[in-house]
Amino acid sequence: MASTTITLVVQPRGKPIRKLPKELQIGPNATTQEIYDALANASGFSVHRLRITKGSDRTVVPNSKATSVDDIGLKNQSVVHVKDLGPQIAWRTVFIIEYLGPLLIPALFLFPLRPYIYYNFDQPLPEPSDLQLLVCGLLSIHFAKRELETIFIHRFSNATMPARNIFKNSAHYWVLAGFNIAYWVFRPDASAATSKPNLALLYSGLALFVFGELANLNTHLVLRGLRRPGTTERGIPSGFGFNLVTCPNYLFEIIAWLGVYLVSGLSWSVLLFIAVGGAQMASWAAKKERRYRKEFGDKYKRKRSVLLPGIF
């Protein structure tokens, strides 16, 4: 008769973990999630702070309710390595912090901080133009939407990330979308400071912005429906935009920002943000296409373009 329990040999990987047991008794039909829970309880760490790998081949042991100890080949006296990933922060919190900067910075630059930031211009400073107010409004709408999507729509495949990465992750939005755009677009001598805007740029920019934001929201709702709450399972996305590119959410994001670029009077600062963000989204989209092909095989209709139809 098979033993009802097996003994796993537990070894720390990297820096020592105080209170980490040297052995763990567990049933062969137990889930791998139970391994994480047991070692987290014993060590006093969150399960999200631990990464467990098999000693035999260094593959990661998934924290999953659907995977058993036997499924991944762990036997009696198998060695598992446990790594302390350091203090963690929830991805939802990360996104909220990332978007908070560019949500608040434009209004701060345009109103209370304006006399101090543009102190080297002739005083008193002229009032912000209607076009500058409009750009501020578009930025506020965009990042308020991002915050609401983070809170109510997005489901994350990973619960946490290392807390130290929050500064690196936030820099892109706080610096490029916050300080960079706000300073240059709201200057008293900026192209958006005019009282006679180019109407072709204005109306076409507004149309692109509205379309991009609504289409992007629709894509996020589609993606949300592919994952059940509390799981990392994914389905094959379909619907508006998905027949064109792998990641239409990124495509529509770029379209919305091109709208801001036109409304701003073709500010190079907005274009810089689009270029840097677009390069990063292109990399993510290419990785996602490869993941879809690997994960779904022949069930997935391969895309020729991952981000920009007919281009990339």
Side-chain angles (χ1 to χ4, degrees), residues 10-89:
V10 181
Q11 298 177 355
R13 187 175 182 184
K15 61 182 179 181
I17 302 175
R18 197 164 63 92
K19 298 183 180 180
L20 185 71
K22 294 182 178 180
E23 293 183 342
L24 177 65
Q25 305 287 329
I26 198 161
N29 295 321
T31 67
T32 53
Q33 184 183 62
E34 292 178 63
I35 299 178
Y36 277 86
D37 290 341
L39 294 179
N41 289 332
S43 64
F45 284 174
S46 163
V47 293
H48 303 302
R49 184 166 173 164
L50 302 178
R51 183 171 66 201
I52 303 174
T53 54
K54 293 166 57 179
S56 58
D57 57 11
R58 300 293 177 88
T59 58
V60 175
V61 175
N63 182 5
S64 170
K65 292 181 181 179
T67 305
S68 72
V69 172
D70 189 57
D71 287 339
I72 61 172
L74 290 176
K75 306 297 182 183
N76 191 46
Q77 295 301 311
S78 288
V79 175
V80 292
H81 294 148
V82 183
K83 182 177 179 61
D84 174 14
L85 298 177
Q88 300 288 296
I89 185 171

Side-chain angles (χ1 to χ4, degrees), residues 44-230:
F45 284 174
S46 163
V47 293
H48 303 302
R49 184 166 173 164
L50 302 178
R51 183 171 66 201
I52 303 174
T53 54
K54 293 166 57 179
S56 58
D57 57 11
R58 300 293 177 88
T59 58
V60 175
V61 175
N63 182 5
S64 170
K65 292 181 181 179
T67 305
S68 72
V69 172
D70 189 57
D71 287 339
I72 61 172
L74 290 176
K75 306 297 182 183
N76 191 46
Q77 295 301 311
S78 288
V79 175
V80 292
H81 294 148
V82 183
K83 182 177 179 61
D84 174 14
L85 298 177
Q88 300 288 296
I89 185 171
W91 268 106
R92 199 176 305 277
T93 303
V94 171
F95 276 49
I96 290 173
I97 294 172
E98 283 181 357
Y99 303 145
L100 185 62
L103 175 62
L104 300 178
I105 290 170
L108 291 174
F109 270 53
L110 202 56
F111 298 110
L113 300 182
R114 184 175 173 81
Y116 307 102
I117 294 171
Y118 303 115
Y119 66 91
N120 55 329
F121 286 84
D122 292 338
Q123 304 293 324
L125 291 173
E127 291 296 316
S129 70
D130 290 341
L131 198 58
Q132 288 174 319
L133 293 173
L134 178 58
V135 172
C136 183
L138 297 183
L139 295 174
S140 298
I141 290 171
H142 175 78
F143 287 107
K145 168 181 168 289
R146 284 285 194 93
E147 295 282 32
L148 292 173
E149 288 173 338
T150 297
I151 297 170
F152 297 110
I153 296 178
H154 291 328
R155 289 175 179 156
F156 300 92
S157 55
N158 295 315
T160 65
M161 62 169 271
R164 64 181 180 275
N165 289 350
I166 185 64
F167 302 103
K168 177 184 68 177
N169 284 44
S170 297
H172 170 71
Y173 289 103
W174 282 61
V175 175
L176 286 183
F179 297 119
N180 168 60
I181 291 178
Y183 177 80
W184 294 104
V185 174
F186 300 151
R187 280 170 60 103
D189 61 350
S191 57
T194 180
S195 59
K196 296 181 179 180
N198 183 312
L199 296 182
L201 292 180
L202 174 61
Y203 292 127
S204 58
L206 286 174
L208 287 177
F209 179 82
V210 172
F211 169 77
E213 293 292 333
L214 292 177
N216 176 266
L217 173 61
N218 176 72
T219 305
H220 287 159
L221 291 172
V222 170
L223 293 173
R224 172 186 170 85
L226 298 176
R227 178 176 294 157
R228 291 182 298 171

Side-chain angles (χ1 to χ4, degrees), residues 250-263:
Y250 298 157
L251 168 63
F252 298 138
E253 174 92 358
I254 291 173
I255 289 174
W257 276 104
L258 286 174
V260 177
Y261 173 62
L262 296 181
V263 173

